[in-house]
């Protein structure tokens, strides 16, 4: 009977893992413009350039001024995407989604292994299932960015270490921490609170697994010190250092956003409540996961000014999932509790499906991206700079200058050119476009007019009045940045 039950639960685990994967590979070829586009597109730019031979020590973007290196983390995720693309023949974007889906499966497996060791196989199975259904892990478990891969490497690495597969565990930890060094304090805290017999070895493993990431950041510092290209990476480093400023913790809007993400969007309201109850009530079986939750919450507080990047809440997902598994397991042991647990699961899954329903659809504001990309590619020369949103530059496979819409973003984009940009008195997208033209940009391209976007309408009208329009269609506006007084309107404009 015991063997039969074990086989049954192994079958259920395989079912959970297969479902975890299957949900995330729906619409595998969808353009990478859902959720946080500003993280997916630069990651994909680096991957495409790696595929073309740029080299992993020089993860270069397609946005000027060059060289514009993306030094936030080593391009391990992008290397994985390129490996999948070459092995499967898939396109670059589907390969990125596939890697994130596989990494999410690895996280679910690792949660099951770790939770089953201290709380039992049923609790571990329920925890893995809860993790798979979170709206947060659906959104970013199929995104072209390294966050799901980081979590998969760290959790699977800890699971391997738990089963004394030390070499594999260390290797996975090193990869995960290199992808996101911000996970290092959490893993170190877990090592400090591990059972005494494994504490020392896990601390040594964690401390040494951080070294590859540190070597990368030493290299990145060298590139920043010796490079003559974009200041984007230097500006990004300054932003991260600025997170430690006390005033960043006093912004009420950031705290409100954090509560909304944690209580509603990330894990569903039912999941958040169940997870918190499980971590608080199940003291003996939830020790490591309470530590995980507290350490993860501390990290989020430290990053409160960047909390609008919802994917950072992935840090908490394993702890919340195990808390849910513990509660459901406890409920199932009580008289009549199975019905109550089933209702909780059905409610959580229904809410997760509802909250995640837009993930598999291209947002309306990007609906014409593929057509616009083809038009830009056909109209502009491959060596000429194009001023466009990053996503359109990527879709058109063109290099150029990043178009921004707000005054702070436009000033920051100009500032990436150094003192010449800081002195340019850029106050918005129109001035930013004029500045780019003075630096050598040849074309302007953007998606067509959006009647509810007054900034875009104003910019497009200014472009029509000042420059030589080539294509003016509902899905795309393309202009040659030659003053209209010096040239005739292009005959293909319509």
């Amino acid at each position: 009977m015991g063997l039969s039950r074990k086989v049954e639960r192994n079958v259920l685990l395989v079912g959970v893992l297969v479902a975890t994967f299957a949900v995330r590979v729906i619409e595998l070829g969808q353009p990478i413009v859902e959720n946080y586009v500003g993280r997916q597109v630069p990651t994909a730019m680096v991957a495409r350039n790696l595929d073309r031979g740029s080299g992993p020590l020089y993860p270069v973007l397609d946005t000027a001024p060059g060289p514009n290196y993306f030094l936030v983390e080593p391009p391990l995720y992008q290397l994985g995407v390129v490996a999948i693309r070459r092995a499967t023949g898939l396109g670059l974007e589907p390969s990125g989604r596939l890697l994130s889906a596989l990494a999410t499966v690895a996280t679910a497996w690792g949660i099951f292994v770790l939770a089953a060791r201290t709380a039992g196989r049923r609790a571990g199975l329920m925890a893995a299932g809860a993790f798979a259904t979170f709206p947060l892990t659906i959104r970013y478990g199929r995104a072209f960015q390294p966050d799901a891969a980081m979590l998969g490497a760290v959790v699977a690495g800890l699971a391997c270490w738990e089963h004394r597969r030390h070499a594999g565990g260390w290797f996975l930890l090193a990869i995960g921490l290199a992808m996101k060094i911000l996970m290092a304090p959490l893993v170190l805290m877990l090592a400090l609170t591990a059972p005494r017999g494994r504490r020392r070895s896990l601390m040594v493993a964690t401390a040494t697994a951080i070294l590859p990431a540190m070597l990368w950041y030493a290299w990145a510092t060298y590139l920043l010190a010796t490079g003559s290209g974009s200041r984007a990476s230097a500006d990004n480093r300054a932003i991260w250092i600025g997170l430690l400023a006390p005033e960043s913790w006093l912004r009420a809007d950031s705290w409100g956003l954090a509560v909304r993400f944690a209580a509603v969007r990330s894990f569903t309201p039912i999941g958040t409540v169940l997870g918190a109850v499980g971590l608080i009530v199940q003291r003996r079986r939830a020790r490591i996961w309470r530590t995980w939750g507290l350490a993860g919450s501390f990290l989020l507080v430290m990053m409160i000014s960047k909390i609008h990047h919802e994917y950072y809440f992935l840090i908490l997902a394993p702890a919340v999932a195990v808390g849910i598994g513990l509660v459901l397991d406890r409920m199932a042991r009580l008289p009549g509790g199975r019905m109550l647990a089933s209702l909780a699961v059905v409610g959580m899954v229904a809410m997760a499906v509802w909250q995640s329903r837009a993930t598999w659809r291209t947002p309306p504001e990007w609906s014409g991206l593929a057509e616009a990309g083809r038009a830009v590619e056909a109209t502009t020369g491959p060596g000429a700079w194009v001023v466009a949103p990053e996503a359109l530059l990527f879709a058109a496979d063109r290099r150029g200058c990043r178009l921004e819409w707000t005054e702070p973003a436009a000033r920051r984009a100009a500032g990436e050119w150094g003192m010449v940009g800081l002195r340019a008195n850029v106050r918005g997208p129109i001035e930013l476009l004029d500045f780019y033209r003075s630096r050598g940009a040849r074309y302007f391209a953007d998606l067509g007019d959006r009647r509810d976007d007054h900034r875009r309408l104003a910019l497009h009208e200014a472009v029509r009045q000042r420059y030589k329009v080539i294509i003016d269609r509902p899905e795309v506006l393309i202009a040659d940045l030659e003053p209209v007084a010096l040239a005739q309107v292009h005959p293909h404009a319509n």
Side-chain angles (χ1 to χ4, degrees):
M1 184 70 179
L3 181 61
S4 174
R5 184 171 296 178
K6 184 176 180 179
V7 170
E8 179 184 348
R9 287 181 179 168
N10 284 339
V11 171
L12 288 173
L13 174 62
V14 171
V16 168
L17 297 182
V18 169
T20 301
F21 179 75
V23 166
R24 287 157 182 82
V25 296
I26 296 172
E27 294 294 335
L28 199 63
Q30 178 185 341
I32 52 171
V33 288
E34 85 286 1
N35 299 316
Y36 195 65
V37 181
R39 190 62 173 88
Q40 294 197 75
V41 170
T43 306
M45 284 183 175
V46 170
R48 186 163 62 189
N49 288 324
L50 284 172
D51 195 27
R52 292 172 176 174
S54 65
L57 292 179
Y58 300 93
V60 67
L61 297 169
D62 293 331
T63 48
N68 190 355
Y69 297 125
F70 193 64
L71 303 174
V72 177
E73 67 264 331
L76 297 174
Y77 173 81
Q78 293 92 325
L79 288 171
V81 172
V82 171
I84 289 178
R85 192 203 69 75
R86 293 177 178 176
T88 64
L90 290 171
L92 196 71
E93 294 171 68
S95 298
R97 292 196 185 280
L98 182 57
L99 179 55
S100 292
L102 291 170
T104 305
V105 172
T107 308
W109 171 82
I111 287 173
F112 167 77
V113 170
L114 292 170
R117 178 62 65 93
T118 58
R121 293 177 63 86
R122 182 166 61 181
L125 185 63
M126 291 177 174
F131 176 83
T133 60
F134 289 155
L136 181 70
T137 65
I138 291 175
R139 293 188 194 105
Y140 296 100
R142 61 187 301 274
F144 202 122
Q145 59 188 80
D147 299 86
M150 171 277 295
L151 195 63
V154 168
V155 176
L158 291 172
C160 288
W161 196 268
E162 184 71 18
H163 279 272
R164 303 190 184 280
R165 303 292 191 268
H166 293 157
W170 184 92
F171 179 72
L172 288 170
L173 278 177
I175 289 177
L177 295 179
M179 286 184 181
K180 289 284 182 180
I181 191 63
L182 64 88
M183 282 291 287
L186 187 152
V187 179
L188 282 171
M189 185 62 68
L190 293 177
L192 285 171
T193 57
R196 184 167 299 178
R198 298 194 300 273
R199 185 180 306 167
R200 185 172 181 178
S201 63
L202 186 55
M203 287 178 62
V204 171
T206 302
T208 55
I210 295 172
L211 293 179
M214 301 309 296
L215 289 174
W216 169 260
Y217 289 110
W219 168 250
T221 301
Y222 169 78
L223 282 183
L224 290 176
T226 59
S228 57
S230 174
R231 290 182 48 83
S233 290
D235 291 345
N236 188 68
R237 182 175 62 175
I239 289 172
W240 275 99
I241 293 174
L243 293 180
L244 301 178
E247 59 266 21
S248 66
W249 302 330
L250 302 178
R251 296 176 55 181
D253 57 336
S254 295
W255 286 101
L257 203 58
V259 171
R260 177 170 171 258
F261 283 165
V264 179
R265 278 185 56 87
S266 296
F267 315 115
T268 76
I270 295 175
T272 300
V273 171
L274 291 177
V277 169
L279 294 177
I280 293 171
V281 174
Q282 298 291 312
R283 292 183 174 274
R284 182 179 61 84
R285 298 197 294 169
R287 179 183 175 189
I288 181 177
W289 302 104
R290 279 204 308 276
T291 301
W292 189 303
L294 290 172
S297 298
F298 176 76
L299 286 174
L300 290 174
V301 169
M302 295 297 292
M303 300 186 300
I304 193 68
S305 64
K306 290 182 74 70
I307 211 69
H308 56 284
H309 299 327
E310 183 186 20
Y311 51 81
Y312 286 129
F313 281 86
L314 285 170
I315 294 172
L316 296 179
V320 176
V322 174
I324 293 171
L326 291 171
V327 166
L328 294 178
D329 181 50
R330 179 61 178 169
M331 291 168 63
R333 297 173 187 271
L334 299 175
R338 289 198 174 189
M339 178 62 71
L340 186 59
S342 298
L343 289 174
V345 169
V346 170
M348 188 171 67
V349 171
M351 294 187 75
V353 171
W354 175 257
Q355 291 181 223
S356 306
R357 67 193 185 282
T359 301
W360 296 277
R361 296 198 304 265
T362 299
E365 62 268 26
W366 296 106
S367 58
L369 180 63
E371 294 83 355
R374 287 191 290 268
V376 173
E377 186 176 15
T379 305
T380 64
W385 283 359
V386 181
V387 180
E390 272 187 318
L392 183 52
L393 286 175
F394 179 77
D397 195 7
R398 288 292 180 264
R399 296 185 181 273
C401 305
R402 187 179 75 249
L403 185 61
E404 297 288 358
W405 299 102
T406 65
E407 180 176 348
R411 292 176 61 185
R412 182 183 173 193
E416 292 173 5
W417 295 72
M419 289 306 300
V420 65
L422 294 173
R423 294 170 180 162
N425 194 30
V426 170
R427 299 186 302 274
I430 296 175
E431 292 85 0
L432 182 63
L433 176 59
D434 291 338
F435 170 73
Y436 285 151
R437 176 180 172 273
S438 73
R439 306 311 300 171
R442 174 66 188 276
Y443 296 100
F444 166 87
D446 191 20
L447 302 181
D449 291 342
R450 299 294 190 269
R451 295 301 168 186
D452 57 345
D453 190 338
H454 301 295
R455 291 177 301 193
R456 175 168 272 152
L457 288 170
L459 176 61
H460 288 189
E461 190 57 36
V463 168
R464 293 183 181 103
Q465 293 176 6
R466 299 184 188 191
Y467 299 114
K468 179 182 175 181
V469 174
I470 301 174
I471 294 177
D472 191 357
R473 297 201 298 257
E475 71 273 13
V476 65
L477 173 65
I478 305 175
D480 189 322
L481 295 181
E482 182 179 354
V484 71
L486 302 179
Q488 298 297 317
V489 174
H490 194 284
H492 294 114
N494 53 54

